[in-house]
Amino acid sequence: MQKTIADIKKNFFSLRNGIIADSLRKLYPTGKIIYGLNVPQFMQLAKKYPKDVTLGLNLWDDKGCRESRLFSLYLIPPSELEKGNAKSMLLDVDSTEEAEFLPFRLLRHLPYARELYEELEAEQITDPLPSYCLGMFKKNLGL
């Protein structure tokens, strides 16, 4: 799996866009690697790799790289993601971009999406980014 992750990161580097990366740096904490990839690039790159929940979760855990976190959402099959992992991902978002991307790309497609939303809503999340993500999740579910 480490070889696959290294290959993915080589692709991020080869597709980097400094202009986009510079503008995105305002959204992210200091020290995060930002290559400046966009959605069409993620979609094209996702065709090269298998859908794999373990690979996707490993990329999501890479908090030091914007593209790793967002690209992971293209690799995680919704039917294979356990509810606990989905909940942890929502509570772990660290940018508005992730808070919008996670519900749209992954959470709304989960077989237990509405049930997960209701559980999280009942928890009365107060942390701003996860709370925003939960609101986006609600919107993506059409509630």
Side-chain angles (χ1 to χ4, degrees):
M1 178 176 321
Q2 292 307 320
K3 184 178 177 186
T4 304
I5 290 173
D7 188 61
I8 289 169
K9 290 194 176 197
K10 282 181 192 175
N11 279 288
F12 292 165
F13 185 78
S14 70
L15 296 168
R16 71 192 181 282
N17 182 323
I19 295 168
I20 294 173
D22 285 344
S23 65
L24 287 170
R25 283 191 177 82
K26 297 172 191 159
L27 300 174
Y28 284 91
T30 306
K32 187 169 266 214
I33 297 169
I34 300 171
Y35 294 104
L37 273 64
N38 57 38
V39 171
Q41 290 172 308
F42 285 132
M43 292 172 67
Q44 194 65 27
L45 191 56
K47 294 175 183 178
K48 296 182 179 184
Y49 298 97
K51 300 260 187 219
D52 181 281
V53 70
T54 304
L55 176 61
L57 289 173
N58 273 288
L59 286 168
W60 178 261
D61 287 341
D62 181 5
K63 287 188 151 212
C65 178
R66 169 195 176 257
E67 282 72 15
S68 291
R69 302 238 330 157
L70 297 179
F71 186 62
S72 73
L73 305 176
Y74 286 88
L75 300 181
I76 298 172
S79 62
E80 296 178 28
L81 185 64
E82 294 177 6
K83 190 190 296 183
N85 287 329
K87 181 178 177 180
S88 293
M89 290 174 79
L90 185 140
L91 296 172
D92 188 44
V93 295
D94 66 359
S95 72
T96 54
E97 187 179 31
E98 288 178 9
E100 293 171 355
F101 216 65
L102 176 63
F104 179 76
R105 285 290 317 152
L106 182 62
L107 298 180
R108 71 184 177 138
H109 300 292
L110 298 170
Y112 49 83
R114 188 175 183 125
E115 178 184 330
L116 175 64
Y117 168 76
E118 290 169 356
E119 285 178 21
L120 287 163
E121 184 181 44
E123 290 185 20
Q124 298 181 345
I125 298 168
T126 57
D127 192 8
L129 284 171
S131 180
Y132 177 65
C133 187
L134 185 60
M136 295 305 296
F137 188 17
K138 179 179 182 178
K139 183 177 180 179
N140 278 276
L141 290 174
L143 302 175

